[in-house]
């Protein structure tokens, strides 16, 4: 039962361009969404989050967009840098403060110099 | 920057053996978690722990699994009788509620290989 889906297992983007990573969810009870970045042999590292009461949250080069009616969120990275090459996971919880993060399957982003 | 430390980084065990995975959470955190990632699959929630008891567990976390905070600093995950399908990366996380990122900090993981 994949409640959080990342349909693109991999994405390659030229350095300096925009990277757009997508995530869809099926559980309408999800209320809070997060993006994590993971390098090999390391644990996931928090990047950015968004509450369902917002449709956009920005932090430096990272912006997350939420379309609640479409149950879709996206992470935009601009400009993309070589150090952004990693696996990106979106995650969701039913409400802020809930224990359990439900993760997507991840998208491997490769930035081409 | 404070870290969550996990040991060992890699554990190889025979099927049917018991394993204990160890974690040292961030010192002022009160919420502790175990997640796992089978190779090529998503990161999955196993269990959360607060105030010396399990607060939530997933269907994966059956009777073969247990967690403990034996001495106020370590947080351990025990698998009583390992199966081949327990082979995965196991991530410990600790958290402080109320922050924008859940205050979740993950450790680097223990790669468990059951042979």
């Amino acid at each position: 039962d994949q409640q959080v889906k990342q349909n693109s297992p991999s994405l390659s983007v030229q350095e300096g361009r925009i990277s757009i990573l997508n995530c869809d969810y099926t559980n309408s009870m999800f209320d809070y969404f997060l993006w994590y970045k993971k390098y090999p042999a390391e644990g996931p590292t928090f990047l950015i989050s968004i509450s369902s009461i917002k449709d956009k949250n920005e932090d430096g080069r990272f912006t997350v967009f939420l379309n609640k009616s479409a149950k879709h969120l996206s992470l935009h990275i601009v400009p993309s840098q070589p150090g952004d090459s990693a696996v990106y996971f979106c995650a969701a919880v039913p409400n802020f403060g809930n224990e359990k993060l439900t993760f997507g399957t991840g998208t491997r982003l490769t930035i081409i110099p | 920057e404070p870290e969550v430390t996990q040991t060992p980084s890699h554990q190889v065990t025979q099927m049917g053996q018991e394993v204990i995975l160890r974690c040292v959470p961030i010192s002022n955190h009160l919420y502790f978690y175990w997640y796992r990632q089978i190779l090529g699959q998503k990161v999955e929630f196993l269990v959360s722990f607060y105030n010396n008891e399990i607060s939530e567990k997933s269907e994966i976390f059956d009777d073969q699994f247990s967690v403990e905070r034996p001495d106020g600093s370590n947080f351990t995950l025990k698998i009583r009788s390992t199966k081949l399908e327990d082979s995965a990366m196991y991530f410990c996380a600790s958290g402080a509620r109320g922050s924008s990122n859940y205050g979740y900090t993950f450790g680097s993981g223990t790669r468990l290989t059951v042979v």
Side-chain angles (χ1 to χ4, degrees):
Chain A
D1 173 25
Q2 278 204 308
Q3 297 186 61
V4 179
K5 301 178 196 177
Q6 293 175 257
N7 291 319
S8 299
S10 63
L11 176 68
S12 294
V13 174
Q14 287 266 279
E15 183 180 357
R17 300 283 190 117
I18 184 169
S19 296
I20 300 175
L21 297 103
N22 293 303
C23 179
D24 297 292
Y25 61 96
T26 56
N27 188 343
S28 55
M29 299 300 291
F30 286 142
D31 201 43
Y32 196 78
F33 305 89
L34 306 94
W35 282 94
Y36 283 82
K37 177 179 179 179
K38 186 181 177 305
Y39 292 118
E42 293 185 15
T45 303
F46 170 77
L47 266 181
I48 192 168
S49 62
I50 189 166
S51 162
S52 62
I53 62 172
K54 295 187 172 183
D55 54 20
K56 178 181 172 181
N57 188 26
E58 196 170 346
D59 183 3
R61 296 186 299 114
F62 302 94
T63 304
V64 55
F65 294 93
L66 175 62
N67 182 334
K68 208 174 171 189
S69 60
K71 294 192 179 69
H72 176 83
L73 61 152
S74 59
L75 174 68
H76 292 210
I77 306 172
V78 56
S80 301
Q81 298 173 354
D84 296 330
S85 294
V87 178
Y88 289 77
F89 292 95
C90 67
V93 289
N95 54 73
F96 187 81
N98 190 277
E99 302 286 359
K100 173 182 158 182
L101 291 174
T102 300
F103 281 87
T105 48
T107 297
R108 181 178 302 279
L109 175 65
T110 303
I111 305 303
I112 304 161
Chain B
E1 187 163 329
E3 286 187 341
V4 174
T5 306
Q6 289 186 244
T7 54
S9 57
H10 192 186
Q11 172 94 45
V12 181
T13 189
Q14 288 213 314
M15 192 169 57
Q17 295 295 304
E18 174 183 286
V19 292
I20 298 175
L21 309 182
R22 292 186 163 78
C23 171
V24 178
I26 292 174
S27 61
N28 62 345
H29 284 179
L30 300 176
Y31 301 86
F32 312 108
Y33 311 88
W34 284 100
Y35 284 76
R36 79 172 185 190
Q37 184 184 23
I38 294 171
L39 187 64
Q41 297 185 25
K42 61 181 179 179
V43 178
E44 298 174 291
F45 171 80
L46 290 178
V47 67
S48 58
F49 190 86
Y50 169 70
N51 202 24
N52 284 321
E53 60 184 25
I54 290 173
S55 43
E56 187 173 355
K57 60 183 180 179
S58 72
E59 58 276 6
I60 302 168
F61 194 89
D62 62 21
D63 292 344
Q64 293 300 309
F65 290 87
S66 61
V67 288
E68 222 179 20
R69 196 152 187 253
D71 56 11
S73 62
N74 290 288
F75 179 51
T76 61
L77 174 69
K78 183 194 289 187
I79 309 174
R80 245 177 287 282
S81 176
T82 50
K83 303 189 277 282
L84 294 176
E85 54 265 38
D86 293 327
S87 295
M89 282 291 290
Y90 287 80
F91 295 104
C92 172
S94 70
R97 284 218 185 137
S99 60
S100 63
N101 66 344
Y102 268 57
Y104 261 67
T105 301
F106 284 86
S108 297
T110 294
R111 180 175 298 284
L112 176 65
T113 303
V114 182
V115 296

